[in-house]
Amino acid sequence: MTPNKEDYLKEIYKLGGAEKLVGNKQIAEVLKIAPASVTEMLIKLSHEGLLHYEPYKGSCLTKEGLQIAITLLRGHRLWEVFLMRHLGYSWSEAHEDAELLEHITPPRLSGRLDKFLNYPAYCPHGSAIPHSDGQIDRKPLRPLVQLAAGESSHIRKVAEEKELLDYLQSLGIEIDGAVTVASIGPYEGPLMLDLDGRQVQVSHKAACQIYVDER
Amino acid sequence: MTPNKEDYLKEIYKLGGAEKLVGNKQIAEVLKIAPASVTEMLIKLSHEGLLHYEPYKGSCLTKEGLQIAITLLRGHRLWEVFLMRHLGYSWSEAHEDAELLEHITPPRLSGRLDKFLNYPAYCPHGSAIPHSDGQIDRKPLRPLVQLAAGESSHIRKVAEEKELLDYLQSLGIEIDGAVTVASIGPYEGPLMLDLDGRQVQVSHKAACQIYVDER
DNA sequence: TTTGTAAATTAGGATCGCCTAAATGAAGGG
DNA sequence: CCCTTCATTTAGGCGATCCTAATTTACAAA
């Protein structure tokens, strides 16, 4: 395993490769690599038994590949908790450095870090932290943008993307905070939110990446 | 910079490349790489201005190369403090994982880790932790093996090598602990030590890698 | 001064992970 | 059913880092 191959597996997982076939083009896009190079690597990874590769169709992770992807996610999220809770990192900074740290986090390290952090269930961005056996506690969520005007809920998760994280943190948006959609601008216009009495405007695009409780 | 090149610089530094020329053979040995490959890489690193390479003579670090080596050492030792103090690592485990972590520790991370740890001066094995400006507080030390029978001192540092660390930790040897050389076996025989009243025997070879105050 | 030996370099090759350009396959619209 | 389009694969290459084998250099002992 190299950090490189790990990134392939992780991104395929994030693209849904645990349940369905993922096309090469998508993988090439998120990894910023030429499609031809992706084909090559996928064949290699399938020979290693880490994914099922169906030419011209796509790839999905095997149990082994899934295990590696989840282990990476676990390391990533545990580090995020550490970086924000103890080192004073911001949302986006934590994500950035965790992206590096995840690749050099053997089970011994993630296990002890987990204990040190007192077994956190969620990362600072609201994603569930997989247990050491690979189990993930999923919570049913929907994007904020699906709420109707006047509806209330709680913010449970935000997508991990640098620009978005900086934007949302500057707005003072917080995980588990109460939110009410005051109004929705027409034509994918901005949403006006009520956060504990504070009025905040967020773009439609951002609202697609913010998740709240289902129902 | 790649982890690879970083390792070259770090090992050259540890072999004394900050003060004198280091031969290729030594570098090849510690990195477990063929001498021919070392020649190749040294030429590359010298083109990058990280070291002075004198064919058939050896190499020494430039200011830039030295800076990188010291930054690595700083990250390594800070992580060791964290791993032992907060995650319950042993001497050798801490060294092992710090070896990985050092390569993905940008200044932002080492700076905040340093603060979190309350600016420790020494790593758990007794080596000084370089400051962020590259400054290192050196303390004059000599190997324990140089002490005469009956002499007393304090253990200040041990070499970082897995086997040695496991050996010494199993003996209960501790940094800053008082030590008196009770007797010295002839012909590079073992030394009998008195550690706070406890009698402990260590091999000659180990005593070469344990450092105590000078004079 | 010659020469033996150990260290270092050169030559030639392999593998890995990436690239571009060209060819091929799949899938829906006419 | 054909054909366009777009995803994908194949072919051929490149640079990085390692290797082994053969050659050259440095240095010191005879």
Side-chain angles (χ1 to χ4, degrees):
Chain A
M1 259 307 101
T2 66
N4 229 317
K5 293 179 175 182
E6 289 179 345
D7 278 336
Y8 273 88
L9 297 176
K10 190 184 64 166
E11 294 302 338
I12 291 169
Y13 175 79
K14 292 207 269 184
L15 290 171
E19 302 100 34
K20 59 177 173 57
L21 291 178
V22 177
N24 288 12
K25 188 161 188 267
Q26 278 185 288
I27 301 171
E29 254 162 31
V30 296
L31 291 177
K32 298 185 209 316
I33 277 173
S37 310
V38 173
T39 300
E40 201 181 357
M41 181 60 86
L42 291 182
I43 291 170
K44 221 168 287 178
L45 290 172
S46 72
H47 287 334
E48 292 178 42
L50 299 174
L51 49 80
H52 297 295
Y53 170 61
E54 303 190 24
Y56 294 105
K57 295 290 179 54
S59 315
C60 65
L61 299 176
T62 61
K63 216 167 57 154
E64 293 76 38
L66 180 59
Q67 178 54 50
I68 293 176
I70 288 177
T71 297
L72 283 168
L73 237 34
R74 174 171 152 82
H76 181 99
R77 292 174 184 165
L78 286 170
W79 280 117
E80 285 181 335
V81 173
F82 172 70
L83 295 175
M84 288 199 70
R85 191 188 290 176
H86 295 287
L87 301 195
Y89 271 61
S90 74
W91 261 358
S92 70
E93 289 171 338
H95 175 66
E96 277 177 8
D97 282 3
E99 204 72 37
L100 301 175
L101 290 162
E102 63 183 8
H103 293 293
I104 47 151
T105 307
R108 172 173 78 194
L109 179 48
S110 57
R112 293 182 186 182
L113 190 57
D114 199 13
K115 182 180 174 193
F116 170 71
L117 297 170
N118 205 23
Y119 308 103
Y122 298 102
C123 85
H125 311 95
S127 294
I129 297 175
H131 301 282
S132 55
D133 62 4
Q135 197 62 38
I136 306 180
D137 304 329
R138 300 180 183 289
K139 39 182 181 181
L141 299 176
R142 59 183 163 159
L144 175 62
V145 78
Q146 283 181 13
L147 268 64
E151 245 187 302
S152 293
S153 192
H154 289 267
I155 294 170
R156 297 301 186 195
K157 191 173 100 169
V158 297
E160 297 199 20
E161 197 223 317
K162 180 165 168 43
E163 325 291 320
L164 176 73
L165 293 174
D166 284 333
Y167 174 47
L168 296 182
Q169 197 160 44
S170 75
L171 293 178
I173 283 177
E174 287 181 6
I175 298 299
D176 291 336
V179 61
T180 301
V181 177
S183 68
I184 303 176
Y187 235 75
E188 304 202 346
L191 287 71
M192 187 60 73
L193 306 179
D194 183 305
L195 304 171
D196 265 332
R198 213 158 34 83
Q199 296 290 313
V200 169
Q201 198 187 49
V202 304
S203 73
H204 173 89
K205 187 178 173 191
C208 294
Q209 310 265 57
I210 299 171
Y211 298 87
V212 301
D213 289 324
E214 217 172 58
R215 194 155 333 263
Chain B
M1 260 306 104
T2 66
N4 229 316
K5 292 180 175 181
E6 288 178 345
D7 278 336
Y8 273 88
L9 297 175
K10 190 184 65 165
E11 294 303 337
I12 291 169
Y13 175 79
K14 291 208 270 183
L15 291 170
E19 302 100 35
K20 59 179 173 57
L21 291 178
V22 177
N24 288 12
K25 189 165 187 262
Q26 278 186 288
I27 302 171
E29 254 162 31
V30 296
L31 291 178
K32 298 184 207 319
I33 277 172
S37 310
V38 173
T39 300
E40 202 180 356
M41 180 61 86
L42 292 182
I43 291 170
K44 221 168 288 177
L45 289 171
S46 72
H47 287 333
E48 292 178 40
L50 299 174
L51 49 79
H52 297 293
Y53 170 62
E54 303 190 24
Y56 294 103
K57 296 288 177 57
S59 315
C60 65
L61 298 175
T62 60
K63 217 166 57 152
E64 292 78 36
L66 180 59
Q67 176 55 49
I68 293 175
I70 288 177
T71 297
L72 283 169
L73 238 35
R74 174 171 153 82
H76 182 99
R77 291 173 184 165
L78 286 171
W79 280 118
E80 285 181 335
V81 173
F82 172 70
L83 295 175
M84 289 198 70
R85 190 188 291 178
H86 296 286
L87 301 194
Y89 272 61
S90 74
W91 260 359
S92 70
E93 289 171 338
H95 176 68
E96 278 177 8
D97 283 2
E99 204 72 36
L100 300 175
L101 290 162
E102 64 184 6
H103 293 293
I104 48 152
T105 308
R108 172 172 77 192
L109 180 47
S110 58
R112 294 183 186 183
L113 190 57
D114 199 12
K115 182 180 175 193
F116 171 70
L117 298 170
N118 206 20
Y119 308 103
Y122 298 101
C123 85
H125 311 95
S127 294
I129 296 175
H131 301 280
S132 55
D133 63 5
Q135 197 61 39
I136 307 180
D137 305 329
R138 301 180 182 288
K139 38 182 182 181
L141 299 175
R142 59 181 164 162
L144 174 63
V145 79
Q146 282 182 14
L147 267 64
E151 242 185 304
S152 293
S153 192
H154 289 267
I155 293 171
R156 298 300 187 196
K157 192 173 99 168
V158 298
E160 298 197 21
E161 196 222 319
K162 180 165 168 44
E163 327 290 321
L164 177 73
L165 294 174
D166 284 333
Y167 174 48
L168 297 183
Q169 198 160 44
S170 74
L171 294 178
I173 283 177
E174 287 180 4
I175 298 299
D176 290 337
V179 62
T180 300
V181 177
S183 70
I184 302 176
Y187 234 74
E188 304 202 346
L191 287 71
M192 187 60 74
L193 306 180
D194 183 304
L195 304 171
D196 265 331
R198 213 157 35 85
Q199 296 289 314
V200 169
Q201 199 188 47
V202 304
S203 72
H204 173 89
K205 187 178 174 191
C208 294
Q209 310 264 58
I210 298 172
Y211 297 88
V212 302
D213 289 322
E214 217 172 59
R215 195 147 333 260

